[in-house]
Amino acid sequence: MQIVHPGILQVRTPALNFYVLRDEEGLYVIDGGFVGGVRMLQNTLRQHGWNDLPIRGILVTHGHLDHIFNVAYLAKTTGAWIAATRLDALHYAGKPHYEGNSRVTGWLEATGRFALGYQRFQPDRWLDDGDRIEILSGIKTVHLPGHTQGHMGFLLEKERLLFTADLFVSYRAGGRLPLEIFNNDSAENVRSIGKALGLKPAGVLPNHGSDAPPDVHLQRMERLFERVKCAGHEDYS
């Protein structure tokens, strides 16, 4: 758990990391974590003295179950609005469509939704590529498909910090691509990494990774992209 910026708090859980943004209006949660995520969110807010601030909104990066599991509950209990990427609408409704290797993820999620009691939700605002959200210095949405059809990054414009969701995985051993079974289109996922780097971010904040600072995660993503380009046969530029 750490504050990576005065207005950004990272919530670390065994399954994945997620983030809380703070401005003068209150708090905004990005995704909200998986099983146990609400408890970890509450503990983290309490430890950093943010627990008395209202949660105003929830931003959804994509529709995989480990990212949207708590969204309906958080919205219901806090009154927060939900803004979510439009192209993953079937995921929020509990009816995602998977093809190829990603059908394994579909089977796993179907089991998880049934066993864990997934709550469906309808976003209050649909997000498309290039939208702007008035939080902190302003957030620009960046469509980064490949992991899912609607996979979305969030660029904090003034600070040039990019929330990359599951675009890549970043641990001390270095950056790597998501497993094939988790991707809608792995080649497109790589092209999206190139698109993200083209934004010239000062740092990136992935949902699966170590507690390294944003500039270190960026370096890992840059090295990963170079490795994939050298090893592959497609034009990823």
Side-chain angles (χ1 to χ4, degrees), residues 201-213:
V204 299
L205 295 162
N207 280 77
H208 297 275
S210 69
D211 58 354

Side-chain angles (χ1 to χ4, degrees), residues 2 45 65 113 131 166 197:
Q2 62 175 329
L45 294 179
L65 187 61
R113 286 194 301 273
D131 286 348
D166 286 5
L197 291 172

Side-chain angles (χ1 to χ4, degrees), residues 8 10 20 30 46 65 83 96 146 170 179 229:
I8 304 173
Q10 184 188 69
V20 183
I30 298 182
R46 188 179 307 110
L65 187 61
S170 177
L179 295 177
K229 285 200 301 181

Side-chain angles (χ1 to χ4, degrees), residues 17 32 44 71 97 128-129 139 161 166 180 192 209 220 223:
N17 312 319
T44 302
V71 170
H97 177 68
D128 298 301
D129 189 37
I139 291 176
L161 290 175
D166 286 5
E180 287 277 347
S192 289
R220 293 172 182 170
R223 290 195 293 267

Side-chain angles (χ1 to χ4, degrees), residues 176-199:
R176 63 174 176 80
L177 299 175
L179 295 177
E180 287 277 347
I181 63 169
F182 298 135
N183 277 347
N184 175 63
D185 185 330
S186 290
E188 188 171 37
N189 184 84
V190 175
R191 288 191 289 271
S192 289
I193 293 177
K195 178 180 179 179
L197 291 172
L199 298 172

